[in-house]
Amino acid sequence: MAASKSLLDSLKKPEPTNFRMTDFRRDLHLRHKREEHAKKERLKALQESKYVPKYAITVDTSRARSNNDVLRMCIKELGFKEYPFGRKDNCCDVHWHACHFEDNPEVYGGKVNKFPGMGEICSKMTLFRCLDIMRDLFPTDYDFYPRTWYLPAQFHEFSCEIRKMHERRVRPKPTFIVKPDTGAQGDGIYLLREPNEYSSFNGKCHVAQEYMSNVYLIDKFKFDLRIYVLLKSLEPLEFYICQEGLARFSTLPYENPTNKNIHESFMHLTNYSLNKRSSTFNRSERDDEGSKRTVTSVLRRIAMNGHDSTKVWRSIERIVCKTIVAIVPEMKVEYQAAIPPGKTGASCFQVLGFDILLLHNLKPVLLEINASPSLSLDSEQEIAPGVFEYVHSPKDEEIKFPLIRDTLLHVVPLEKLKYYRKRKKRRMLRKLKACTSHKMKRPEPLVKQRTSIVIIKADESDEEKREVDVTQQMSEMHMDVDSSTVSQGESTGRDAISDDEQESNMKSDIEIEEEADNYYENKLKESCLKQLYPAIYDEECERYRILERVAGLFIYFLGIRGSLRIGPTGFRTFARKCRLNRKGMTNAAVDIMYIDLQRRWDHMNPERTSGKKSNGLCYQGFLDACMEIARRKFYAPTKIEMLENLVDHCEISINLKDNDLANNLPRLHFRRLGLQYRQGSMYAMPRRVIDQMAEETTIEDLLTAHEKKLRQVSKEDIEAFLRKNRRMTYLPSSTTAILGSSKSANSE
Ligand code: ADP
């Protein structure tokens, strides 16, 4: 009775004033978090206590987030060791970040799957500015992207252009697409036809582009292609294209833009993230059906429609090459800021996603580069109206799994891989031998015994049964051996052991050595990644790489290590050391140019410069300065020649000052021949041959530098020799084979 009374009392008790339902929820949430943390710590301790062989390839996936699924599958397939919580005792071979290089600032070695500053370089403004600079120098070669205006800075030019088009009565009526500078997944994109329809929210920067209305349609739908590119290294430049990609389709049949349909995003935008919400989104898992298809199926369809799909693919490859060459100078500037020369740091690689639209005449057009393309293997499915569920998408897996697997194979140290495999094989062989000798000691070998029984059966004309039985016994024996091998700590590479390895158990030691040597080379040959540069487009792209030399000058004069901007003193030093005063540039003219350009570039990038205006002139501003100086003081018929003259002059001036004439002269020879010179043994070019180049102005210098007599050789001879030599030294044996195989595949 007393108990029930106290219960009643407690029920009647007024609720404490500070008690709220949210407190209870917060407690629950905190407890859950604490438990999660404890679980993570236990797993971490378990992982750290495990022995990892020195030669195992290790991958840190602690920052991989949405990339985890596909990454884990690849790690398992390749037999690598995963570190889901990072590694404290040592650096991993690969650090996989979902978004940026800076995701984990503690990395001091190995390879990171992101280049520093790549997010900003791939933002629409920086990317199209890089391309605009190249279009200015090579107008006919850089015509593969829509005309672009940078808003709000260029709003006046943009409005004038629209007005002019109206005056000329251009038909169909011109339409423009406005995109936020750092937007993604179609966010904030809209089409407009009049300048007053542009609205700049919170002073955000946008790009406005010509809307490409005459696009190639399949089944009446607009689509774009997501092409994956592996940028393996910056110095020396090396990149690959993935031979498979995704085609993303819009979900409303396409019509040319009119005032009526201009707001139909399911018709004009092809983003998957947008169209998956459409009621007409087709989730077919067939290659050539649905709103998401493979690039090869689209190319097949183009070929079926009577067009040359190989030519289309070649044009896409060229776009990739030219675009990468355009962004490399910016990347080098960012790289030296994040990892200054001399500082130990990680090296980088990156998988990029190129979005490409096909015009009606099958000309590819670049829309954007994605620095972190989605590597998710799931797609959303509506299970009830408004209720979505993530389901595994085999189509995504078909494309993204080989892409990441081959990327890992390309970037991890090959020697370590081979060594790992050899050791594993040798150990397996030893165990197999021990096992078989042990079995041989048995009175009646199992295989023999069972075979003879079967043969008796075979006499009863049961041929099929005999075969099945024999194979079964053989495989039983192998399983026996395998399980004993694995049980003794071979778990790391368990999944990499394939059937062919079991066969090779019987091979001799030497054969296994050879096999291990060839195994990964073959894997790389069969890779879905095809080397574009330097293997195929080396010569074609060499002349576009002039801006890297400008970036080199910029970095040289930056002054402060790790900086991204050149200050007024640095700029003055540039003018003085490069002896621009001899060309008539006074100190006052240099200072005025600096202030003028700094203001202009701060105005162009209000979002990025706010609060750090005093930091100086960015690389693109410096490039503008070089173009201006070249135009004024190094006049030549074309812009590229003017710039080349300036850069040559600056490089000579710097090197002369350092008394480095002998080193500098061969470079000049290369440039005069239109070839790129690389230091070190890249070309393995005998010095004597370089010295023999017939260039009157420098022969004397060479004579003084080397004090030797030269035999006269024609320029053509040397050029032919250099080209031949360069190709040979450039292509490692494996890539030659890849090149050969890919070429033959394409011609089929
Ligand atoms: P986001 O980064 O937001 O995805 P994109 O530049 O990829 O922005 O553009 C989104 C979509 O808009 C593209 O997939 C494409 O279908 C369409 N699009 C973008 N630019 C153009 C253009 N200049 N002409 C025609 N369509 C375009």
Side-chain angles (χ1 to χ4, degrees):
M1 187 65 194
S4 68
K5 202 172 171 231
S6 71
L7 188 74
L8 268 174
D9 282 350
S10 73
L11 281 174
K12 271 186 223 156
K13 233 191 229 170
E15 219 179 59
T17 43
N18 59 348
F19 177 83
R20 273 173 290 130
M21 198 52 200
T22 45
D23 288 344
F24 171 69
R25 280 210 199 109
R26 199 185 320 129
D27 276 355
L28 209 66
H29 176 69
L30 282 175
R31 205 165 70 198
H32 178 70
K33 268 191 114 177
R34 244 177 267 134
E35 274 169 15
E36 283 274 293
H37 182 72
K39 202 167 136 192
K40 222 170 164 182
E41 287 297 311
R42 275 200 305 277
L43 278 171
K44 221 171 175 177
L46 193 76
Q47 178 201 293
E48 274 162 21
S49 65
K50 268 190 187 172
Y51 168 72
V52 181
K54 228 178 21 206
Y55 46 82
I57 304 277
T58 53
V59 185
D60 172 2
T61 58
S62 59
R63 319 279 158 144
R65 287 191 249 171
S66 62
N67 301 174
N68 251 331
D69 289 348
V70 67
L71 199 58
R72 245 171 224 158
M73 281 171 73
C74 299
I75 290 171
K76 206 170 166 211
E77 157 108 359
L78 295 167
F80 295 173
K81 170 92 180 95
E82 183 190 353
Y83 278 82
F85 309 107
R87 192 176 183 182
K88 289 252 157 60
D89 56 335
N90 209 338
C91 236
C92 284
D93 292 301
V94 178
H95 300 261
W96 198 278
H97 297 180
C99 298
H100 309 288
F101 174 82
E102 297 80 11
D103 280 355
N104 182 5
E106 281 160 29
V107 177
Y108 57 87
K111 293 205 169 183
V112 180
N113 73 320
K114 294 279 185 271
F115 278 95
M118 200 60 172
E120 190 162 315
I121 294 170
C122 292
S123 71
K124 294 183 177 71
M125 279 199 153
T126 313
L127 170 69
F128 287 107
R129 278 212 188 105
C130 289
L131 290 170
D132 276 353
I133 294 163
M134 295 301 281
R135 185 181 270 179
D136 199 26
L137 294 172
F138 306 97
T140 49
D141 298 343
Y142 277 79
D143 62 343
F144 54 81
Y145 65 95
R147 262 200 312 163
T148 309
W149 292 267
Y150 308 95
L151 305 180
Q154 289 188 331
F155 183 72
H156 179 68
E157 288 93 325
F158 179 56
S159 330
C160 286
E161 184 61 33
I162 299 185
R163 215 172 307 123
K164 264 191 231 158
M165 282 175 145
H166 286 330
E167 277 165 17
R168 272 187 276 136
R169 293 182 188 282
V170 175
R171 288 287 173 269
K173 211 173 162 192
T175 309
F176 299 87
I177 185 165
V178 179
K179 314 182 205 176
D181 175 29
T182 47
Q185 306 189 333
D187 271 355
I189 295 184
Y190 58 94
L191 270 58
L192 57 74
R193 299 186 126 181
E194 298 297 338
N196 56 11
E197 289 167 31
Y198 168 67
S199 46
S200 164
F201 303 106
N202 328 322
K204 285 239 176 287
C205 292
H206 291 82
V207 293
Q209 288 187 325
E210 254 179 293
Y211 182 73
M212 314 307 276
S213 54
N214 54 341
V215 288
Y216 190 81
L217 305 179
I218 290 185
D219 302 333
K220 297 192 185 144
F221 290 104
K222 177 179 172 177
F223 64 93
D224 75 350
L225 306 176
R226 163 59 57 86
I227 307 291
Y228 297 98
V229 173
L230 164 66
L231 185 47
K232 187 178 163 185
S233 86
L234 204 54
E235 196 69 69
L237 185 60
E238 188 175 337
F239 52 86
Y240 297 74
I241 192 166
C242 182
Q243 319 239 38
E244 186 58 286
L246 274 174
R248 288 100 40 104
F249 283 69
S250 61
T251 41
L252 270 187
Y254 183 76
E255 288 165 21
N256 278 332
T258 59
N259 287 344
K260 239 181 172 180
N261 70 25
I262 204 166
H263 303 296
E264 294 280 8
S265 45
F266 292 149
M267 179 188 287
H268 295 293
L269 309 187
T270 50
N271 301 76
Y272 163 72
S273 46
L274 206 100
N275 280 285
K276 70 184 177 189
R277 304 272 164 192
S278 163
S279 57
T280 50
F281 190 86
N282 182 344
R283 294 194 159 76
S284 165
E285 274 304 334
R286 278 192 50 173
D287 260 14
D288 52 354
E289 249 181 39
S291 301
K292 214 184 204 186
R293 307 184 191 181
T294 58
V295 166
T296 40
S297 81
V298 167
L299 289 175
R300 232 179 293 130
R301 185 68 174 267
I302 289 171
M304 269 160 58
N305 291 348
H307 306 291
D308 187 351
S309 59
T310 320
K311 198 171 149 201
V312 176
W313 185 249
R314 288 264 170 276
S315 315
I316 292 175
E317 286 182 351
R318 285 207 171 86
I319 288 184
V320 168
C321 292
K322 290 177 192 171
T323 310
I324 290 191
V325 167
I327 61 171
V328 160
E330 282 272 359
M331 287 179 69
K332 285 192 169 172
V333 172
E334 292 277 353
Y335 193 88
Q336 63 78 37
I339 309 166
K343 185 185 155 193
T344 49
S347 50
C348 306
F349 68 96
Q350 188 151 359
V351 175
L352 300 167
F354 280 63
D355 287 353
I356 286 180
L357 197 69
L358 290 183
L359 297 188
H360 187 66
N361 57 2
L362 287 169
K363 182 180 168 184
V365 168
L366 177 79
L367 295 182
E368 69 156 343
I369 308 182
N370 233 296
S372 304
S374 160
L375 295 178
S376 161
L377 301 182
D378 295 332
S379 62
E380 257 179 57
Q381 221 164 61
E382 197 170 15
I383 44 169
V387 183
F388 290 89
E389 190 188 57
Y390 284 101
V391 289
H392 182 79
S393 157
K395 215 179 270 181
D396 280 271
E397 187 184 327
E398 185 192 324
I399 297 161
K400 294 168 187 173
F401 171 70
L403 166 72
I404 301 304
R405 182 199 57 205
D406 294 344
T407 296
L408 285 174
L409 270 180
H410 270 285
V411 298
V412 298
L414 198 60
E415 285 315 308
K416 210 172 165 186
L417 266 181
K418 283 182 189 168
Y419 183 69
Y420 178 42
R421 192 176 167 82
K422 270 183 215 167
R423 277 193 70 133
K424 210 170 68 185
K425 285 241 143 192
R426 260 194 231 118
R427 203 184 309 164
M428 269 176 68
L429 189 77
R430 265 203 310 273
K431 279 174 188 165
L432 184 72
K433 273 180 190 163
C435 219
T436 30
S437 63
H438 175 68
K439 279 178 189 263
M440 291 298 274
K441 280 178 202 158
R442 286 182 191 173
E444 204 71 41
L446 183 70
V447 178
K448 207 175 169 187
Q449 192 185 32
R450 292 295 291 266
T451 316
S452 60
I453 296 166
V454 172
I455 288 166
I456 297 164
K457 280 187 186 169
D459 288 344
E460 291 163 14
S461 76
D462 199 348
E463 196 62 42
E464 234 177 84
K465 182 91 174 73
R466 185 182 79 139
E467 267 179 32
V468 171
D469 238 3
V470 172
T471 3
Q472 198 183 329
Q473 291 316 305
M474 289 297 284
S475 69
E476 265 173 26
M477 192 193 87
H478 279 300
M479 266 171 64
D480 234 33
V481 175
D482 265 357
S483 58
S484 71
T485 320
V486 172
S487 65
Q488 291 178 34
E490 284 270 346
S491 61
T492 336
R494 179 68 188 89
D495 300 284
I497 304 166
S498 53
D499 294 343
D500 69 321
E501 281 178 70
Q502 288 187 8
E503 269 174 39
S504 66
N505 283 336
M506 294 300 187
K507 288 178 190 169
S508 75
D509 213 3
I510 302 159
E511 270 178 321
I512 282 169
E513 285 250 340
E514 266 177 26
E515 193 266 358
D517 270 345
N518 293 331
Y519 182 77
Y520 288 107
E521 304 258 335
N522 288 339
K523 281 246 175 237
L524 287 176
K525 271 185 220 168
E526 290 156 14
S527 159
C528 68
L529 295 168
K530 172 177 139 189
Q531 194 181 66
L532 289 186
Y533 191 93
I536 303 175
Y537 292 97
D538 172 22
E539 284 181 21
E540 208 171 296
C541 289
E542 215 57 71
R543 65 201 191 97
Y544 304 133
R545 297 189 64 185
I546 168 86
L547 294 190
E548 283 171 53
R549 292 167 64 198
V550 179
L553 286 174
F554 179 74
I555 294 166
Y556 188 92
F557 289 106
L558 266 177
I560 308 159
R561 280 191 167 192
S563 166
L564 284 169
R565 285 162 175 258
I566 192 166
T569 319
F571 195 71
R572 241 178 264 144
T573 317
F574 156 68
R576 183 167 44 81
K577 282 205 171 181
C578 292
R579 297 174 181 185
L580 295 180
N581 54 349
R582 288 195 188 172
K583 291 278 174 179
M585 288 277 297
T586 61
N587 287 348
V590 169
D591 287 347
I592 290 168
M593 179 181 275
Y594 178 84
I595 294 165
D596 182 36
L597 282 169
Q598 194 200 349
R599 270 200 206 133
R600 201 191 308 165
W601 277 92
D602 284 348
H603 171 66
M604 292 283 275
N605 287 340
E607 270 180 21
R608 284 178 201 150
T609 48
S610 56
K612 44 180 179 177
K613 281 191 178 165
S614 56
N615 279 0
L617 190 63
C618 62
Y619 160 69
Q620 288 191 347
F622 178 79
L623 180 61
D624 253 7
C626 289
M627 299 285 276
E628 185 57 26
I629 297 167
R631 192 184 60 78
R632 283 197 217 161
K633 306 292 173 194
F634 295 83
Y635 188 77
T638 61
K639 282 188 182 173
I640 183 73
E641 283 172 82
M642 289 184 224
L643 190 64
E644 260 175 355
N645 289 346
L646 167 74
V647 178
D648 274 347
H649 173 84
C650 294
E651 285 177 349
I652 295 169
S653 305
I654 300 166
N655 288 333
L656 273 178
K657 194 103 189 94
D658 298 343
N659 280 333
D660 200 8
L661 176 71
N663 274 340
N664 192 43
L665 285 171
R667 266 182 209 220
L668 287 177
H669 285 300
F670 271 82
R671 293 210 179 107
R672 288 203 178 99
L673 291 172
L675 297 168
Q676 174 88 9
Y677 173 77
R678 270 160 227 197
Q679 267 175 334
S681 58
M682 187 60 102
Y683 295 127
M685 184 65 58
R687 179 81 188 211
R688 188 174 38 79
V689 179
I690 299 168
D691 292 351
Q692 284 166 357
M693 291 181 190
E695 187 73 51
E696 287 79 16
T697 48
T698 54
I699 277 185
E700 270 181 31
D701 298 335
L702 275 168
L703 274 170
T704 39
H706 302 288
E707 294 170 353
K708 78 167 107 153
K709 287 215 157 65
L710 298 175
R711 180 173 61 86
Q712 279 293 309
V713 183
S714 82
K715 190 172 161 180
E716 284 72 32
D717 287 346
I718 297 159
E719 196 168 346
F721 175 84
L722 284 175
R723 283 184 191 282
K724 191 169 146 247
N725 236 288
R726 184 166 59 149
R727 186 145 284 283
M728 270 163 28
T729 46
Y730 231 137
L731 292 178
S733 53
S734 58
T735 42
T736 324
I738 295 171
L739 189 63
S741 65
S742 67
K743 271 182 181 163
S744 63
N746 284 326
S747 59
E748 266 169 24

